[in-house]
Amino acid sequence: MTSPVLTRPAPTRLTTSPTALPGAPTVRTAPTTRRPAPSTAPSPAPPTTAPEAAQQRAWWPTALKAVLGIGLTGALLVWALPHAIGASWSEIGHTVASVQPWQLGALAALWLLGLAVHTLALSAGMPGLSHRRAFLLNITGSFVSNLLPLGGAAGTVANYSMARSWGFGSVAFGRWALVTNIWDTMIKLALPAVAVGWLAATTTGNHSLAMAAVISVAALVLLTVGVTTVFRSDRLARALGRTAGRVALRLRRPVDPTTWAEQASGMRADTNELVSTGWLRLTIGKLAYAALQAVLLWACLAVVGLTVTPAIVFAAFAMQSVLTLFVLTPGAAGFVEVGMAGILVALGVPAAGAAAGILLYRGFVFLMEIPVGGLLMAAWMARRPKLAQA
């Protein structure tokens, strides 16, 4: 058995105040312990976690897509456009420079009128959405999607944030995005067939446009049959929702396929009700918007000094509608300009004037949506905290 270790207590020191009187008692104080001075060296930064590192790297793919998209667009416009139509950039630039400021103002008013008319269809797709907010959704969504290749998804995310701030839920927004995009795609696919028939009745046809019409009609038939089948069959809607849920599970997302099947069924019923009550406004709004855009194209060709028949103008507009469905570049820029100008030149329109009119037209329907939409989105974001506090 080991004996306990005896520890001697720390000795106390006798301190005498220098001002103490003779004979005053001595005060016993405990020994003081010196504490080290706090270090002034900066503390090491906490290690970056995996989610934070992934978030820091997330902007690289977006930036790379933007750079590649802009580079491809520039190559198509700078090199492919003049070579495809046989006109130099000096000729095209001289034609564009001949447009007067008042003519640009009139074209801008016509462009804004088309956007305003489009709100008839957009507000019909989401009951309770005002025309002003529908205009804001349209222009800000275009601002985002026109900056990136395949930017439609990013534009939809931006629109969803806005819709939620106005009190619309995910189901209402999803139904709005689904219905308006289906209507838009069906009209775009139908336009080439109308253009080919119009050209055949008034002037000579065009092989490229005829091929586009055949492909578009086939795609339109498939889309119509597929959409009709899904929205008429609750069983098929549930099966698609369950399949999508299982795919999400394989992607390690915490979802329940059964819940997704129920949501798909509810979405089908709600969408059928929406279409049954709003199909007329959706159709009129989309058709009127397309018609005003075609009128804007005709006006852009007119201000650069061209006299083009409505059938030829509509043929170029129909080609644009098809090409915008293949967004390898932001807003299909580059491909659209080359395709539209090529159709016009093939149908007898002077090359320099055709390119100038197309560039002027695309300057409104594509390029102008970026600064205007960006300013309106910045204004909405600045007002959002104030609206949340109200």
Side-chain angles (χ1 to χ4, degrees):
M1 180 175 181
T2 59
S3 59
V5 179
L6 300 179
T7 59
R8 177 181 294 180
T12 58
R13 292 180 299 173
L14 301 180
T15 60
T16 305
S17 172
T19 58
L21 297 176
T26 302
V27 180
R28 298 178 180 269
T29 60
T32 58
T33 303
R34 289 188 178 182
R35 295 182 179 179
S39 175
T40 58
S43 57
T48 304
T49 61
E52 291 174 347
Q55 187 175 8
Q56 292 174 2
R57 294 191 301 266
W59 66 275
W60 276 105
T62 302
L64 181 60
K65 286 196 300 182
V67 170
L68 292 177
I70 293 173
L72 181 56
T73 300
L76 289 169
L77 291 178
V78 174
W79 182 84
L81 178 60
H83 282 77
I85 63 175
S88 66
W89 268 109
S90 60
E91 296 173 317
I92 298 172
H94 179 73
T95 307
V96 173
S98 65
V99 181
Q100 300 298 315
W102 70 267
Q103 293 174 322
L104 292 176
L107 294 174
L110 184 57
W111 167 63
L112 290 173
L113 177 62
L115 293 178
V117 170
H118 194 201
T119 63
L120 181 66
L122 298 178
S123 59
M126 191 184 299
L129 181 69
S130 65
H131 289 275
R132 180 179 63 85
R133 287 178 170 175
F135 180 91
L136 189 59
L137 283 179
N138 184 22
I139 195 70
T140 54
S142 297
F143 154 68
V144 176
S145 61
N146 287 354
L147 291 175
L148 298 171
L150 304 173
T156 302
V157 172
N159 284 343
Y160 179 53
S161 299
M162 283 188 171
R164 286 195 61 184
S165 71
W166 297 330
F168 294 99
S170 58
V171 174
F173 177 81
R175 183 179 58 184
W176 173 82
L178 177 65
V179 171
T180 55
N181 278 287
I182 287 176
W183 244 254
D184 189 59
T185 303
M186 292 178 70
I187 289 177
K188 285 182 176 180
L189 292 176
L191 289 179
V194 177
V196 168
W198 196 350
L199 283 175
T202 58
T203 184
T204 58
N206 179 268
H207 178 70
S208 298
L209 186 61
M211 288 298 298
V214 172
I215 296 173
S216 297
V217 169
L220 177 61
V221 171
L222 291 176
L223 177 63
T224 304
V225 172
V227 169
T228 303
T229 303
V230 170
F231 285 106
R232 293 189 65 178
S233 172
D234 182 72
R235 181 179 180 181
L236 181 57
R238 289 176 181 272
L240 290 175
R242 189 177 295 107
T243 302
R246 289 171 179 170
V247 172
L249 279 178
R250 290 184 176 274
L251 297 175
R252 298 184 179 181
R253 293 192 58 185
V255 300
D256 181 14
T258 303
T259 303
W260 278 35
E262 294 294 332
Q263 291 176 346
S265 175
M267 174 70 76
R268 184 199 68 86
D270 293 341
T271 303
N272 283 338
E273 181 180 357
L274 174 65
V275 171
S276 64
T277 57
W279 69 270
L280 184 59
R281 286 179 59 197
L282 281 162
T283 305
I284 292 176
K286 290 291 184 180
L287 289 176
Y289 177 54
L292 285 172
Q293 280 197 317
V295 172
L296 177 61
L297 174 59
W298 170 82
C300 289
L301 294 171
V303 299
V304 297
L306 297 179
T307 301
V308 186
T309 63
I312 293 177
V313 173
F314 191 78
F317 177 72
M319 178 61 72
Q320 174 211 231
S321 299
V322 174
L323 290 174
T324 53
L325 296 175
F326 305 97
V327 285
L328 298 178
T329 58
F335 293 99
V336 169
E337 288 80 4
V338 173
M340 293 179 72
I343 287 291
L344 290 176
V345 172
L347 293 174
V349 179
I358 293 302
L359 291 175
L360 191 60
Y361 167 75
R362 289 285 291 173
F364 284 103
V365 300
F366 171 73
L367 194 61
M368 278 297 293
E369 290 181 343
I370 296 176
V372 175
L375 288 174
L376 290 177
M377 175 168 281
W380 172 77
M381 294 179 68
R383 291 185 58 202
R384 189 176 181 182
K386 298 179 181 179
L387 295 175
Q389 295 173 3

